[in-house]
């Protein structure tokens, strides 16, 4: 019921009384960046794939409305676990959406361990996690090009032709194979989100990063796969997924060093093996 | 080379766009998962041989047969592990493939929290029992798992090397601290400034 904060190497991370992320304060400069996290989904467009009546499916992301349906923040149930080695905030967002926020006092990356599914099969849903900040971004964001350079993306814009936007959301969605970022040049800030698998994402709304984490579409999009994107999972009731995202905040000049180093470390994560030993003392 | 080539080749196959984006048919997706699993499993024997060679270089080891079989777990991503749940005492070897020393926080699913953890020098390591969140417990993929908690502790790994931590079950009273439910974080340790060379 109370607001609280957790310290990392360079930040104070503030949560509100519901256990939702509220702001990040950079201790060195005193800058406070409002950071709100939301969970939501777009309803998939259902069509018969004739003419402009294309359905959302495996190849095509086409929401039926341009605004996501958001889970109410006030319904989040949070449980906080605090130890010197790690602080965790367990959040139950809805019946089929939850996450654990992990804050390591010796790291500046906030880890999100999310779980999603099974998505109710009443309609097609495309689930997103969104961070909203007070950063001034002008609809410009950056996505990686499969681990090479960061590509600048501009709202409703293509560098090689004049674009007429007919799908404001999906027209601004791009592949996010390892990271997506937004920048605030005036305040010298960059917020980067790294992921553990190829996803889709956007940052075309002012100060926002959005990543699509799960989809369930009940209709084939007619692009060749001839199957609806409707995986049943272990029990046929729908796929449950668990994944991780990492959020970093830094100066623009320091951002590349931080996210490239972290991406390398995530890629080369330590390998754990076990042995049963007759004498552990001797083994040690 | 024979053992590793399968993973090398299947990794290459799965850079095809349908595996990256998920636009393959369901039976193809299932086959991709199977092939990846089998080819990863083949590599385990290579890791076993490599770690055994490195371990036997330690002069203090009197009896090499005491090493036991190297065990792998591919269910740690759903907070389940047949080895940590079924054995009360284990040697946990963590290999760091990165070219710099790494501080890594290890999470091991356990059925009891009464473990003493010691580092490669035999010194005790502080560990914590974290409850596994209810939605994770309900995952169908971990139906056979009995773990409701994860043992969490910090490991320090050398560059391109490994460290072995020993887990020993302690009878009697609890020896581990548990993550406490709290709403106030003023008791966190002071932050130590770190200088970095770029």
């Amino acid at each position: 019921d109370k607001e609280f904060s957790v310290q990392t190497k360079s930040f104070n991370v503030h949560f509100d009384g519901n256990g939702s992320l509220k702001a990040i304060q950079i201790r060195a400069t005193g800058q406070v960046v409002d950071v709100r996290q939301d969970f939501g989904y777009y309803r998939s467009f259902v069509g018969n794939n004739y003419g402009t009546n294309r359905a959302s499916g495996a190849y095509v992301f086409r929401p039926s409305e341009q605004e996501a349906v958001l889970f109410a923040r006030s319904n989040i149930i949070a449980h906080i676990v605090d130890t010197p080695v790690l602080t965790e905030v367990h959040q139950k967002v809805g019946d089929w959406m939850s996450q654990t926020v992990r804050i390591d006092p010796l790291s500046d990356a906030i880890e999100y361990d999310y779980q999603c599914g099974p998505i109710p099969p009443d309609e097609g849903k495309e689930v997103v996690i969104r961070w909203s900040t007070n950063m001034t971004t002008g609809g410009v964001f950056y996505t990686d090009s499969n681990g090479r350079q960061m590509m600048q993306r501009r709202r409703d814009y293509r560098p090689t032709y004049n674009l007429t936007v007919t799908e404001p959301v999906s027209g601004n969605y791009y592949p996010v194979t390892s990271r997506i970022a937004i920048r605030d040049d005036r305040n010298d800030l960059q917020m980067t989100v790294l992921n553990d698998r190829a996803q889709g994402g956007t940052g075309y709304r002012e100060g926002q990063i959005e990543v699509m984490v799960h989809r369930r579409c009940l209709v084939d999009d007619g692009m060749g796969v001839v199957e609806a994107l409707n995986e049943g999972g272990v029990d046929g009731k729908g796929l449950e997924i668990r994944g991780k995202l990492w959020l970093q905040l830094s100066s623009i000049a320091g951002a590349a060093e931080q996210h490239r180093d972290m991406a390398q470390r995530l890629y080369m994560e330590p390998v754990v093996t076990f042995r049963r030993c007759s004498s552990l003392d001797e083994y040690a | 080379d024979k053992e590793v080539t399968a993973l090398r080749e299947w990794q290459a196959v799965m850079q095809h766009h349908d595996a990256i984006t998920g636009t393959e048919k369901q039976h193809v997706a299932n086959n991709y998962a199977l092939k990846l699993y089998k080819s990863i499993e083949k590599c385990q024997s290579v890791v076993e041989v490599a770690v055994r060679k490195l371990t036997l270089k330690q002069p203090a080891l009197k009896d090499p047969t005491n090493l036991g079989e190297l065990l792998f777990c591919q269910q740690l991503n759903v907070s389940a592990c047949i080895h940590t749940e079924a054995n009360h005492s284990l040697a946990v070897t963590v290999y760091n493939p990165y070219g710099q020393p790494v501080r890594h926080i290890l999470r091991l699913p356990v059925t009891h929290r009464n473990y003493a953890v010691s580092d490669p020098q035999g010194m005790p390591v502080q560990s914590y029992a974290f409850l596994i969140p209810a939605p994770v417990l309900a995952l169908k993929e971990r139906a056979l798992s009995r773990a409701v908690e994860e043992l969490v502790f910090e490991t320090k790994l050398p560059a391109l090397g490994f460290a072995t931590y020993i887990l020993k079950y302690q009878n009697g009273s609890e020896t581990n601290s548990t993550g406490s439910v709290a709403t106030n974080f003023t008791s966190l340790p002071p932050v130590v400034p770190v200088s970095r060379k770029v």
Side-chain angles (χ1 to χ4, degrees):
Chain A
D1 296 331
K2 288 180 189 167
E3 295 190 355
F4 61 93
S5 63
V6 186
Q7 280 189 356
T8 71
K9 207 165 64 177
S10 317
F11 304 136
N12 295 329
V13 184
H14 298 285
F15 289 84
D16 67 15
N18 285 325
S20 296
L21 183 64
K22 183 184 168 195
I24 297 174
Q25 181 182 26
I26 304 170
R27 276 201 301 278
T29 60
Q31 279 174 295
V32 178
V33 182
D34 295 340
V35 186
R36 287 283 184 178
Q37 193 191 11
D38 281 300
F39 305 84
Y41 59 86
Y42 293 99
R43 292 192 179 95
S44 308
F45 185 80
V46 178
N48 57 10
N49 302 326
Y50 286 103
T52 57
N53 211 11
R54 178 74 59 186
S56 195
Y59 282 89
V60 176
F61 164 42
R62 192 181 190 197
S64 60
E65 298 109 27
Q66 300 306 314
E67 290 299 325
V69 179
L70 299 181
F71 288 88
R73 277 193 206 127
S74 55
N75 289 345
I76 292 177
I77 300 165
H79 172 83
I80 304 146
V81 186
D82 175 31
T83 71
V85 76
L86 206 60
T87 299
E88 285 191 350
V89 182
H90 299 181
Q91 298 172 334
K92 188 171 189 301
V93 181
D95 288 341
W96 45 273
M97 187 89 211
S98 64
Q99 78 169 2
T100 300
V101 185
R102 294 203 180 98
I103 300 174
D104 177 348
L106 299 182
S107 165
D108 279 336
I110 301 172
E111 180 180 296
Y112 296 89
D113 185 343
Y114 62 87
Q115 192 174 322
C116 181
I119 297 173
D122 51 343
E123 59 181 354
K125 290 188 177 71
E126 330 224 359
V127 183
V128 294
I129 296 180
R130 182 189 289 172
W131 289 266
S132 306
T133 71
N134 57 350
M135 290 166 64
T136 306
T137 57
V140 176
F141 59 104
Y142 300 82
T143 59
D144 76 295
S145 50
N146 206 9
R148 293 187 287 271
Q149 81 268 33
M150 296 294 280
M151 305 289 287
Q152 190 190 65
R153 315 293 192 182
R154 281 169 56 186
R155 178 170 49 216
D156 301 340
Y157 175 80
R158 300 291 185 274
T160 51
Y161 61 96
N162 292 326
L163 176 70
T164 304
V165 177
T166 54
E167 299 281 342
V169 176
S170 50
N172 285 293
Y173 251 72
Y174 287 89
V176 180
T177 47
S178 71
R179 71 209 81 170
I180 179 170
I182 51 173
R183 284 180 185 167
D184 183 336
D185 293 314
R186 199 176 52 191
N187 293 304
D188 188 24
L189 284 169
Q190 175 164 332
M191 188 171 85
T192 312
V193 172
L194 293 100
N195 57 3
D196 64 349
R197 67 198 66 185
Q199 290 168 325
T202 189
Y204 83 96
R205 295 187 192 91
E206 190 65 17
Q208 283 189 0
I209 285 180
E210 184 175 285
V211 176
M212 186 178 289
V213 295
H214 196 9
R215 310 176 70 199
R216 188 175 198 179
C217 303
L218 308 181
V219 181
D220 175 47
D221 59 14
M223 289 291 191
V225 74
V226 204
E227 275 181 12
L229 193 71
N230 186 14
E231 198 167 346
V234 174
D235 59 357
K237 291 180 179 169
L239 193 64
E240 288 172 90
I241 56 129
R242 192 183 184 194
K244 284 183 183 172
L245 296 162
W246 293 267
L247 185 140
Q248 290 182 332
L249 188 68
S250 63
S251 67
I252 294 173
E257 186 203 347
Q258 274 196 14
H259 68 68
R260 289 194 181 279
D261 180 64
M262 178 145 189
Q264 285 287 324
R265 288 172 188 271
L266 295 173
Y267 178 64
M268 296 197 180
E269 195 184 34
V271 182
V272 185
T273 59
F274 307 95
R275 274 189 210 278
R276 282 183 294 261
C277 302
S278 55
S279 166
L280 281 174
D281 291 332
E282 189 179 335
Y283 186 93
Chain B
D1 191 55
K2 197 178 79 180
E3 300 297 328
V4 177
T5 295
L7 180 59
R8 194 183 282 151
E9 291 182 351
W10 277 107
Q11 173 70 29
V13 168
M14 274 165 229
Q15 291 185 41
H16 183 65
H17 67 86
D18 68 350
I20 298 289
T21 57
T23 47
E24 74 276 48
K25 284 177 181 285
Q26 188 59 50
H27 70 271
V28 178
N30 296 342
N31 188 244
Y32 281 168
L34 178 69
K35 295 294 185 189
L36 203 56
Y37 170 78
K38 282 188 167 178
S39 56
I40 287 172
E41 204 177 32
K42 274 188 172 182
C43 292
Q44 292 177 355
S45 61
V46 180
V47 178
E48 158 103 58
V49 171
V51 174
R52 185 176 283 269
K53 275 185 183 171
L54 291 168
T55 316
L56 287 176
K57 285 182 180 170
Q58 306 296 320
L61 195 73
K62 294 169 197 160
D63 178 12
T65 57
N66 187 34
L67 276 177
E69 184 194 359
L70 202 60
L71 307 167
F72 293 81
C73 177
Q74 292 201 43
Q75 280 205 301
L76 286 170
N77 65 334
V78 287
S79 300
C81 177
I82 190 170
H83 309 307
T84 55
E85 292 173 32
N87 294 290
H88 278 167
S89 297
L90 270 180
V92 183
T93 298
V94 192
Y95 173 70
N96 171 26
Y98 195 51
Q100 286 182 29
V102 163
R103 168 184 166 272
H104 182 65
I105 295 173
L106 207 57
R107 312 178 67 85
L108 302 175
V110 289
T111 51
H112 295 278
R113 62 175 57 171
N114 300 355
Y115 282 96
V117 182
S118 52
D119 70 9
Q121 283 74 44
M123 301 301 290
V125 175
Q126 183 68 60
S127 63
Y128 302 88
F130 277 63
L131 281 173
I132 299 172
V136 179
L137 288 178
L139 281 170
K140 315 284 185 310
E141 284 83 355
R142 64 188 309 285
L144 298 175
S145 173
R146 291 178 296 121
V148 292
E149 290 178 315
E150 282 179 306
L151 198 69
V152 177
F153 58 94
E154 192 180 287
T155 61
K156 292 190 171 107
L157 312 173
L160 294 167
F162 68 91
T164 300
Y165 288 76
I166 304 290
L167 261 63
K168 252 187 185 176
Y169 181 67
Q170 306 284 295
N171 282 319
S173 63
E174 290 174 7
T175 54
N176 295 86
S177 305
T178 306
S180 57
V181 179
T183 53
N184 186 321
F185 291 84
T186 52
S187 60
L188 281 174
V191 175
V192 181
V194 178
S195 64
R196 304 185 70 191
K197 189 183 282 184
V198 181

